[in-house]
Structures are given as C-alpha cells and as structure tokens.
Amino acid sequence: MRTRLALPWSHFRVLAAMVIEGMASAHPWFFLHHRLRCWLRPDGRHWSLSRLTGAVVSFRVLDVSSLASVRTFVDEWRSTEQPLHILINNAGINSPRGARSSDGFDLIFATNFVGHFALTLLLLPVLVRSGTPDNPARIVNLASVMHHWGTTDWIRLLYSPDSTTSTYAASKLAMIYFSDELQRRLAARGVETVAVCSVNPGAVNSDIWRHLPAAVKCLADVVFRLIFLTAEQGSRCSVVAALAPLPVPDGGVGPAADGSTMACGGQGKATPVTPYLVPYRVVSTLSWLRVPLECLGPFYGPVVCEPSGLARQHAPAKQLFETCLRLCALKDPEKLFT
C-alpha cells in the first residue's frame, strides 16, 4: 500500500527533513508536497533524497501564505484522483514583522494558520474517503509552547497585530483550536475516517531562527545547541502523531485512535478534545512549573499533555473556524465533510 503524505513547510526545513526521514523509515512509498526545494542542509551538512533509501518521493510547489496557491495545489491533487492518508501542517515562520500576505493578512498568521486551515478543509473530502474507521486518515497540526501566550482577537491578529511574538503565539493557539473544532464537527456528522491531533515539537534548534541579527545568532547558536532539541528529536511528535497509536497520558483516560476523548489535567474527566503531544515529560498541572517543562524539559519522547486552559475553550475555537470559513471564501462547508 502506498501512503500518501502532504507536508507543507517554510522556515522549518530542517525539522521537515527529519519528519520525512522518519516517515520514510516506516513507509517505503509516500508522496510529499512542499513549497521549497528538496535539497536541504540540516546541521551544516548536505542532505538529499538519497538518505531516503527505498522511498519514492515527489515534490509540488505550495505557498501556504497564499490562498490562490493553496487552491491551485488542491485542484492539482484532486485531478490525480489519488488518496491522501496523512496531512502534516508543518509550515511556520516567526518573521518578518508587519509583512503582508498576497491576500492582505498578516504574513505570520497567514502562513502559520490561515493557509493550513484552507488547505485542510479543501483536502478534507479526499481525507474522509481515504481513511477507514479502523485506520483513519491523520491530520497533524503543528502548535507550540508559545500557545500559552496566545490571544483570540482574530480580526486584529489577521490585519493589525501588536507584535511578532503575539502573532506567532496566537497562530499556534489557533492550531489547537482548529484541531478540536474540526474533530468536533467531524464527530457531529458521524465521520469516523479522519483523526486530528496537534503537536508541540519542542524548542528545536532549527533554521526558523536564521533571521536573528548576526550578533545575536552567534550566541544563540551556542546556547541552542546546549539546551534545545535536535531536529530529529523535534520531529518525533509529528511522526508518532501521523503513524503510531497515540500515547496515553499518565493517570488519565487514553485517547482512542480517532482522538475522541482524553483526560483533562490528569483528573480522569473525559472531554471531546484532540490529543496534544509534547516531547517532554510534563508532570505538573501548575502552570508556573508546567510551562518551563513543556518548553525546555529534557527530551523524553512523545507523550500526551494538556495544553493551556484557554486552548480548550469552545467559543473562541468556533469563532475562529467561522471567521476563517468566510475569509477563505469556503462556500457550502457541509460538502467539505463528505
């Protein structure tokens, strides 16, 4: 069986490379779709597809910051009549501040969230048909520990954000909201062939930091190599979320394969939310202790963790979903779920 994977990237090129390698080791056949070239240089070494021994990989152009590019990509994919088993929404940027996308949105929010929202919903009918109840298609949304500092004034964030940090944090909070709201809507329509999950790759020494000022970057490179995860470690959560039975949180209710229920705060209270995976062992529910562990704890391997309390609120998730449906001009949304 050929597993077909779509993996948008932008500044997370090194992290994406490690996800590719992890996927290739598990599946000898998959199709990959990026907005950038296929030759990378993680850790300063030349990296090429020759490392993916036995894998068949194809690349297609996709600029997730542009809704026109997203629609073109989806039209091309649909024209092939190929299935799609895994979608990993990996693309992300944290600069430049104040830049605009071709659609007039803040570039960071457009790249990190809006493009992924449109891409996922336009590909949703393909995903629904490609999965089965026993082996659902997977949608993996890349979040971040920065979601703890996210805000929910969506229109302001789209058109006039306060700062780069607040926009990046809000875009990662939006990815968790999107995961939960999409899974809720799938469940409400009785769709059991798609499972949604969000992951925090951890604090990773990747090339998302390459736009730091030169003087700062020299020091940052030294510090990051000491305390940050490697790109390979940072890719683990995405690979596990895409391929493996999801881990069970300590002392809680383990999520089903479709991510339908899990424990909140280790109290054993089942709620209709999607799994949130982190690469650290987060043992405390106290925010002042938990956030540092979720950001810079020692690498443990993918585990299910609870995001911030704000990230589990239904009202802002629903508002975000409805707002982006209008902004992306996605008509007849009911047809997307069939």
Side-chain angles (χ1 to χ4, degrees), residues 41-64:
R41 293 181 181 273
D43 302 324
R45 297 189 302 272
H46 197 65
W47 185 95
S48 74
L49 296 182
S50 62
R51 294 180 66 179
L52 305 181
T53 305
V56 176
V57 183
S58 70
F59 289 82
R60 298 184 188 178
V61 174
L62 169 60
D63 181 353
V64 289

Side-chain angles (χ1 to χ4, degrees), residues 94-95 208-221 224:
N94 61 4
S95 62
I208 193 172
W209 308 105
R210 61 191 174 133
H211 291 293
L212 290 173
V216 176
K217 193 173 186 307
C218 290
L219 177 61
D221 284 344
F224 291 171

Side-chain angles (χ1 to χ4, degrees), residues 282-319:
V282 181
V283 296
S284 176
T285 58
L286 300 174
S287 60
W288 63 270
L289 178 60
R290 183 175 148 218
V291 172
L293 290 174
E294 190 184 332
C295 181
L296 291 173
F299 179 73
Y300 181 78
V303 294
V304 173
C305 173
E306 266 298 283
S308 68
L310 178 63
R312 291 307 195 194
Q313 293 184 8
H314 185 197
K318 181 179 179 180
Q319 181 189 39

